[in-house]
Amino acid sequence: MKLLVVEDHPALRDLLLRHLQRSGFVVDVAEHGREAVAMLALSRYDAMLLDLGLPDMGGLSVLAARSSTRNADLPCIILTACDALEQRIAGLDAGADDYLLKPFEMAELEARLRAVLRRPGPRAERRLQLGNLSFCLESREAYVGPQPLLLSKREMALLEELLRCAPRVVIKDQLEERLYALSEAVTPNAIEALVSRLRRKLVDAGADSSIETLRGLGYRLASGAS
């Protein structure tokens, strides 16, 4: 899953980035509101963590601008040091899904993220499955039958994207957008190498699904029965 973190405090922004990356998320970060709006127009995200006190525009203005981007229905958790009831109500009325008061524990942040991602909508599934291959969205663990499938974080993210779309084709450019942060340099063959590693691990683990390459287009995960 890919997150957008909008936070102007450097130490907290870096802490969020490192923690969420360790938890298996792909993370883009923005320091300013206008930068965040540009990112919302450029890339598709699964959730946004939004500080209200940004230096160039208020977080509520970012929420309002969200509706005219490709992330119009993006779940949002507001992060703020202000405990004023009026501000909390304004944020929720503006379309935020939850509110987290600074300082907070990372464990609570992750729990709230899981909660908003479970709400009705395209991200409401708890487990993705195709044949004997499954992926638990909460624990971010993959299995072939009852056996855990040991994957790197990037391989796990690739498997999730393929399972979400299976048996439809996932365009290569879309995979690159979803699996890498905007700040990361991506080599021309990065996706091919990643797909090759995951394909080999699926075969070695006895998965009855395989990754098919559609040259010039992308990839799809197909069950042995298809």
Side-chain angles (χ1 to χ4, degrees), residues 67-87:
S67 62
S68 61
T69 72
R70 59 191 302 194
N71 291 280
D73 298 319
L74 181 68
C76 175
I77 298 176
I78 286 178
L79 310 177
T80 182
C82 179
D83 193 26
L85 176 61
E86 294 80 4
Q87 190 178 60

Side-chain angles (χ1 to χ4, degrees), residues 34-51:
R34 290 186 179 86
E35 181 184 9
V37 173
M39 288 179 171
L40 289 170
L42 183 63
S43 189
R44 184 169 61 86
Y45 297 97
D46 296 289
M48 175 169 60
L49 305 179
L50 176 63
D51 179 25

Side-chain angles (χ1 to χ4, degrees), residues 111-169:
R112 289 176 181 266
L113 262 175
R114 290 193 297 269
V116 299
L117 291 168
R118 282 198 302 267
R119 291 176 186 172
R123 297 288 169 179
E125 310 99 320
R126 303 290 290 275
R127 178 178 290 267
L128 305 173
Q129 187 155 3
L130 184 66
N132 66 350
L133 179 63
S134 62
F135 180 82
C136 178
L137 292 169
E138 290 201 0
S139 64
R140 304 202 62 76
E141 295 175 336
Y143 298 86
V144 173
Q147 298 301 316
L149 183 60
L150 300 180
L151 302 174
S152 69
K153 289 183 175 64
R154 194 89 73 183
E155 291 163 353
M156 198 76 76
L158 170 60
L159 178 61
E160 178 184 357
E161 292 301 318
L162 292 173
L163 276 170
R164 282 191 183 279
C165 292
R168 303 189 309 276
V169 177

Side-chain angles (χ1 to χ4, degrees), residues 9-225:
H9 190 283
L12 179 56
R13 187 173 63 246
D14 292 345
L15 178 63
L16 288 166
L17 175 62
R18 292 194 304 271
H19 181 87
L20 293 168
Q21 285 178 332
R22 284 197 301 268
S23 297
F25 293 101
V26 177
V27 185
D28 281 336
V29 294
E31 179 181 356
H32 299 93
R34 290 186 179 86
E35 181 184 9
V37 173
M39 288 179 171
L40 289 170
L42 183 63
S43 189
R44 184 169 61 86
Y45 297 97
D46 296 289
M48 175 169 60
L49 305 179
L50 176 63
D51 179 25
L52 288 185
L54 300 171
D56 62 335
M57 62 187 291
L60 296 185
S61 297
V62 175
L63 271 178
R66 174 191 59 173
S67 62
S68 61
T69 72
R70 59 191 302 194
N71 291 280
D73 298 319
L74 181 68
C76 175
I77 298 176
I78 286 178
L79 310 177
T80 182
C82 179
D83 193 26
L85 176 61
E86 294 80 4
Q87 190 178 60
R88 295 202 305 272
I89 292 173
L92 295 170
D93 285 346
D97 296 83
D98 202 353
Y99 222 97
L100 195 54
L101 187 64
K102 300 175 184 178
F104 50 82
E105 296 293 334
M106 290 297 170
E108 181 181 4
L109 173 64
E110 284 203 61
R112 289 176 181 266
L113 262 175
R114 290 193 297 269
V116 299
L117 291 168
R118 282 198 302 267
R119 291 176 186 172
R123 297 288 169 179
E125 310 99 320
R126 303 290 290 275
R127 178 178 290 267
L128 305 173
Q129 187 155 3
L130 184 66
N132 66 350
L133 179 63
S134 62
F135 180 82
C136 178
L137 292 169
E138 290 201 0
S139 64
R140 304 202 62 76
E141 295 175 336
Y143 298 86
V144 173
Q147 298 301 316
L149 183 60
L150 300 180
L151 302 174
S152 69
K153 289 183 175 64
R154 194 89 73 183
E155 291 163 353
M156 198 76 76
L158 170 60
L159 178 61
E160 178 184 357
E161 292 301 318
L162 292 173
L163 276 170
R164 282 191 183 279
C165 292
R168 303 189 309 276
V169 177
V170 186
I171 305 302
K172 180 183 174 184
D173 288 349
Q174 177 185 333
L175 281 176
E176 189 171 300
E177 173 193 309
R178 295 285 295 163
L179 300 181
Y180 296 90
L182 293 173
S183 59
E184 291 183 271
V186 184
T187 60
N189 65 340
I191 294 295
E192 288 90 341
L194 183 61
V195 167
S196 178
R197 292 196 299 271
L198 178 58
R199 180 186 282 129
R200 184 169 57 252
K201 290 185 178 182
L202 293 179
V203 170
D204 292 345
D208 58 11
S209 303
S210 59
I211 303 175
E212 298 178 352
T213 300
L214 287 82
R215 297 205 176 276
L217 187 59
Y219 306 90
R220 70 177 176 185
L221 191 62
S223 68

